[in-house]
């Protein structure tokens, strides 16, 4: 009874700490969402999150030190820059590389907005620095075509600039392969093979994807299983499909299980077909 009371008391004492940790985690999630929206340029969603949620508008990313204002300036979203400044965004804050939002600005319009109320001349454009990030956030490597609220208006489109950061991977021409597809095509096809009705265990073999032919498969299987090709009757793709030609081989997927079925020997009139239901020949004696 005492131990139960002690456990309950301990849980009650830790409850405020756990609630504090949860609130801190939620706060970081909201701040990262704000930076993501600033990168995308969705000014309406930013207004909603600032009005409804408890969020620090000047919060820095823990990895690169970028704020929402940094990202809005980098991407040339002047309406977002103007709104963040109206909400108290600090334009003198620096990233971990020591860059201010003004130094990362990618359009003349954003530069003018950030230099407003500054002593610096409007026409003295600062040198642009592409942020060298230790990691690439998902919303940069895979940017949305338009913000969550709808297509970007013409006023939100950043001016074209030779300093502007690329908005992400371009659409590939028809028939073009991505890097992942090329890596997949260059890798070997992993198959699991065994001889029917001998060893129940499979072994894994690799078939080069550049030579997905029936003859190459037969050669590989016979070599790995130390089998004479003349003794091979057929190859079964489990559970019940016979491979016959190159097209069948090209349809194989990684870790497909294959059985090699041997021709019947002169000592065994019954073909070795791999079915467990067929009984092996056993010498019989008759009683008279």
């Amino acid at each position: 009874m005492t131990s139960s009371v002690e456990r309950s008391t301990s849980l009650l004492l830790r409850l405020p700490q756990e609630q504090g940790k949860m609130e801190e985690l939620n706060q970081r999630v909201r701040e990262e969402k704000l930076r993501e929206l600033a990168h995308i340029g969705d000014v309406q969603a930013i207004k909603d999150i600032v009005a409804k949620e408890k969020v620090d508008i000047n919060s820095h990313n823990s990895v690169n030190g970028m704020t929402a204002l940094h990202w809005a300036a980098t991407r040339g979203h002047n309406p977002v820059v103007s709104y963040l400044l109206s909400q108290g965004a600090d334009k003198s804050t620096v990233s971990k590389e020591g860059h201010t939002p003004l130094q990362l600005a990618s359009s003349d319009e954003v530069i003018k907005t950030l230099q407003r109320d500054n002593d610096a001349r409007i026409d003295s454009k600062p040198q642009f620095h592409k942020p060298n990030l230790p990691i690439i956030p998902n919303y940069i490597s895979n940017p949305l075509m338009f913000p969550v609220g709808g297509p970007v208006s013409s006023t939100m489109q950043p001016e074209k600039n030779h300093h502007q950061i690329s908005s992400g991977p371009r659409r590939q021409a028809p028939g073009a392969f991505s890097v992942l597809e090329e890596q997949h095509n260059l890798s070997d096809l992993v198959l699991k093979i065994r001889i029917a009705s001998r060893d129940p265990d499979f072994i894994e073999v690799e078939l080069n994807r550049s030579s997905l032919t029936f003859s190459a498969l037969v050669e590989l299987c016979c070599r790995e299983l130390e089998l004479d090709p003349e003794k091979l009757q057929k190859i079964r793709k489990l559970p019940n499909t016979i491979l016959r030609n190159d097209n069948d081989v090209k349809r194989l997927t990684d870790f497909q299980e294959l059985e090699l079925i041997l021709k019947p020997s002169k000592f065994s009139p019954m073909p070795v077909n791999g079915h467990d239901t067929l009984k092996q020949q056993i010498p019989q004696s008759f009683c008279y």
Side-chain angles (χ1 to χ4, degrees):
M1 180 66 179
T2 304
S3 60
S4 299
V5 173
E6 291 176 351
R7 285 197 299 269
S8 300
T9 304
S10 177
L11 289 174
L12 290 174
L13 292 175
R14 292 202 308 268
L15 185 58
Q17 298 177 357
E18 297 298 328
Q19 289 177 339
K21 292 179 181 178
M22 184 61 66
E23 177 58 30
E24 182 181 355
L25 177 60
N26 292 334
Q27 177 74 5
R28 290 202 299 267
V29 171
R30 290 192 294 267
E31 291 169 351
E32 187 62 29
K33 181 64 176 178
L34 175 66
R35 289 188 288 271
E36 178 181 348
L37 293 171
H39 174 272
I40 295 172
D42 193 342
V43 65
Q44 185 56 52
I46 293 176
K47 291 180 179 179
D48 292 340
I49 195 172
V50 171
K52 299 177 182 178
E53 304 286 350
K54 180 183 177 182
V55 60
D56 180 6
I57 206 168
N58 289 309
S59 63
H60 294 257
N61 181 274
S62 60
V63 177
N64 51 55
M66 301 278 279
T67 66
L69 187 60
H70 277 100
W71 282 121
T74 300
R75 303 301 294 173
H77 300 309
N78 191 56
V80 177
V81 171
S82 299
Y83 175 74
L84 292 175
L85 291 174
S86 70
Q87 297 299 309
D90 183 7
K91 55 185 175 184
S92 65
T93 187
V94 296
S95 66
K96 286 194 174 180
E97 291 191 347
H99 297 147
T100 65
L102 180 60
Q103 290 175 310
L104 297 178
S106 60
S107 73
D108 293 335
E109 190 178 11
V110 170
I111 291 173
K112 291 178 182 179
T113 301
L114 290 171
Q115 287 185 329
R116 196 174 299 150
D117 301 328
N118 281 2
D119 293 332
R121 294 180 57 190
I122 299 298
D123 57 352
S124 59
K125 185 174 181 179
Q127 183 180 3
F128 174 79
H129 300 276
K130 180 178 179 179
N132 183 22
L133 305 181
I135 61 171
I136 305 298
N138 180 63
Y139 52 85
I140 299 178
S141 57
N142 299 287
L144 295 177
M145 294 182 64
F146 47 81
V148 179
V152 181
S153 64
S154 58
T155 58
M156 293 177 61
Q157 291 286 0
E159 298 180 13
K160 292 187 177 179
N161 187 295
H162 67 281
H163 294 303
Q164 188 171 345
I165 297 177
S166 171
S167 60
R170 297 181 178 179
R171 186 182 299 275
Q172 295 176 330
F177 290 97
S178 66
V179 175
L180 292 178
E181 289 172 332
E182 290 177 357
Q183 292 177 348
H184 177 73
N185 291 335
L186 292 175
S187 63
D188 293 332
L189 176 65
V190 181
L191 302 171
K192 302 171 69 174
I193 64 173
R194 71 180 180 188
I195 299 177
S197 76
R198 283 194 181 178
D199 193 338
D201 296 328
F202 291 90
I203 64 171
E204 291 184 353
V205 297
E206 294 82 27
L207 180 61
N208 195 311
R209 292 184 186 272
S210 62
S211 58
L212 292 179
T213 63
F214 186 77
S215 60
L217 176 63
V218 171
E219 179 183 357
L220 173 67
C221 293
C222 292
R223 183 176 68 250
E224 294 290 338
L225 294 173
E226 300 180 352
L227 181 66
D228 183 0
E230 295 296 328
K231 295 182 180 181
L232 180 63
Q233 183 180 56
K234 55 187 176 181
I235 299 178
R236 175 187 294 130
K237 180 175 72 172
L238 294 181
N240 55 7
T241 303
I242 299 300
L243 300 182
R244 301 171 300 167
N245 50 45
D246 294 349
N247 289 333
D248 292 344
V249 176
K250 291 177 181 178
R251 286 190 288 268
L252 294 175
T253 58
D254 281 324
F255 303 105
Q256 174 63 57
E257 296 180 347
L258 304 177
E259 274 190 344
L260 277 66
I261 302 170
L262 307 183
K263 296 177 181 178
S265 66
K266 60 181 180 179
F267 302 104
S268 176
M270 185 181 301
V272 182
N273 57 15
H275 286 290
D276 294 334
T277 55
L278 297 178
K279 298 180 180 179
Q280 298 180 352
Q281 288 186 327
I282 302 175
Q284 299 181 5
S285 60
F286 299 92
C287 296
Y288 296 92

